[in-house]
Amino acid sequence: IIGVLIVIAAIIYFVSSGDKKISSAGDSSAPIVIPTHNWSSQIVMAHVIGGIFEANGNNVKYVPADSQAVYESIRIGDVHLSHEVWESAFGKSFTTALDKGGLVDWGDHEARTLEDMGYPNWVAEKGLCPGLPDWTALKNPACAKNFTTPDSGGKGRMLEGPQSWHGDLIPQRVDALGLGDLWTVKFAGSADALWAELKAAEKEGRGTIIFNWTPNFTDGAGFTFIDFPPYSAGCRPEDGGDGKCGSPDGYLKKAVNADFPKTHPAAAGAFKKMSFSTSHIGAMAALVDLDKMTHEDAAKKWLADNKSVWQAFTK
Ligand code: TMO
């Protein structure tokens, strides 16, 4: 009987340890460090990816990080990965770290991106700026005057996102296009301030132009991006150009520290396969910005609702 019990115990031991080996495939038990930034989809996706790693036996740690400096942090190994590298906002910081070494391009999401100034459709429907979305409509003083606010000095106001996203890109563009006499650019302190501005403007019946992006929760809500002169490589002042261009039809990339595939091979392999679509990412943002869930609860719900999507990444 004792012999039989030993054999059973051994079988149980091997089956369960074999299970662990399969799920984490030799990954270090050191936590995978995932950065969080200041827009909803990024924070929800951080917890979605962390949840996938945890489901496969890894440990995870979330660290709030600056969305430009994070690429240097990944390069030197303080952070393991970035899961939302938006081309327009962060392409330059990403490429700089890539060129220095220590950071690896881990592929693109299915979703393409646009990050630019735009307006809710009711602005056009009310006739507040005839000619939009063509940017030349902004040259009309009768348009600009419908976008004034108490802090805009009589000019039309555009509300840019937090300055950490693009620095002076939009004020430079406004001046480069000869719009500086009619328009002024203010910076929102947070993404939430952008959504609050949409509500306030609609209530007050005044025009509003804000910075926004896609994929986002506004994708289904009637928001139009302004057609600026097309982007071309080198057109921005930071790249030596004259600044008379809109934002690119951009990638949404992933990046990892160069050692991550060695310390956490299973997680790195799964992360390489991870690819989210426009509707996946829009839904992650909507759970927070429309449904008012916490980022953590939104991630749990997204994982529960999309098992077949994410389980394919770990096979
Ligand atoms: C980086 N962002 C999505 C806010 O444009």
Side-chain angles (χ1 to χ4, degrees):
I1 286 172
I2 288 172
V4 170
L5 285 178
I6 288 171
V7 169
I8 289 172
I11 288 171
I12 288 171
Y13 174 80
F14 279 113
V15 167
S16 61
S17 69
D19 239 26
K20 278 199 196 100
K21 287 252 167 53
I22 288 165
S23 58
S24 64
D27 279 0
S28 158
S29 62
I32 299 169
V33 181
I34 302 176
T36 57
H37 302 312
N38 53 354
W39 65 96
S40 298
S41 70
Q42 197 276 344
I43 309 173
V44 176
M45 200 192 293
H47 289 273
V48 162
I49 292 170
I52 297 170
F53 289 159
E54 283 174 346
N56 287 280
N58 275 293
N59 297 310
V60 175
K61 190 172 132 191
Y62 303 97
V63 293
D66 177 83
S67 55
Q68 299 289 353
V70 71
Y71 301 102
E72 180 66 11
S73 302
I74 295 168
R75 199 182 75 74
I76 64 178
D78 290 346
V79 171
H80 282 117
L81 58 85
S82 168
H83 52 279
E84 278 196 17
V85 187
W86 293 68
E87 179 170 357
S88 177
F90 313 124
K92 198 169 176 76
S93 296
F94 165 79
T95 306
T96 301
L98 191 71
D99 291 348
K100 279 193 191 168
L103 174 144
V104 183
D105 182 340
W106 216 235
D108 292 22
H109 288 281
E110 176 188 325
R112 296 292 297 176
T113 62
L114 180 61
E115 306 165 71
D116 217 326
M117 307 305 291
Y119 53 89
N121 289 355
W122 56 261
V123 166
E125 285 152 15
K126 279 190 163 212
L128 296 176
C129 188
L132 285 179
D134 185 331
W135 75 272
T136 58
L138 304 173
K139 293 199 224 172
N140 181 354
C143 161
K145 107 177 156 9
N146 291 329
F147 295 75
T148 56
T149 51
D151 63 345
S152 69
K155 298 182 183 184
R157 186 186 75 163
M158 298 183 187
L159 191 61
E160 182 25 333
Q163 201 158 9
S164 59
W165 292 345
H166 320 109
D168 287 330
L169 175 73
I170 302 299
Q172 283 171 341
R173 187 195 300 174
V174 164
D175 285 341
L177 292 173
L179 298 171
D181 290 343
L182 289 175
W183 295 89
T184 185
V185 179
K186 301 280 178 185
F187 291 91
S190 65
D192 278 346
L194 296 171
W195 321 139
E197 159 66 5
L198 291 182
K199 287 211 175 107
E202 189 165 20
K203 207 167 152 208
E204 294 163 27
R206 62 173 166 81
T208 184
I209 290 175
I210 66 162
F211 175 74
N212 194 359
W213 56 91
T214 178
N216 200 0
F217 74 95
T218 47
D219 288 347
F223 187 92
T224 302
F225 291 94
I226 295 171
D227 289 329
F228 286 101
Y231 177 87
S232 59
C235 72
R236 290 182 169 177
E238 64 177 17
D239 299 318
D242 63 14
K244 296 183 187 179
C245 59
S247 298
D249 161 23
Y251 59 66
L252 188 65
K253 274 191 186 296
K254 300 164 292 173
V256 295
N257 173 269
D259 289 332
F260 182 57
K262 292 170 218 153
T263 59
H264 298 82
F271 187 51
K272 186 146 209 181
K273 284 194 206 163
M274 286 185 204
S275 168
F276 295 115
S277 68
T278 297
S279 67
H280 292 149
I281 298 167
M284 291 180 201
L287 289 168
V288 172
D289 291 321
L290 297 178
D291 302 342
K292 307 297 174 196
M293 296 177 83
T294 65
H295 300 101
E296 291 82 355
D297 286 351
K300 281 193 192 119
K301 177 162 170 54
W302 194 92
L303 287 167
D305 290 349
N306 293 276
K307 276 211 169 83
S308 63
V309 174
W310 64 265
Q311 285 177 347
F313 302 145
T314 57
K315 282 192 182 116

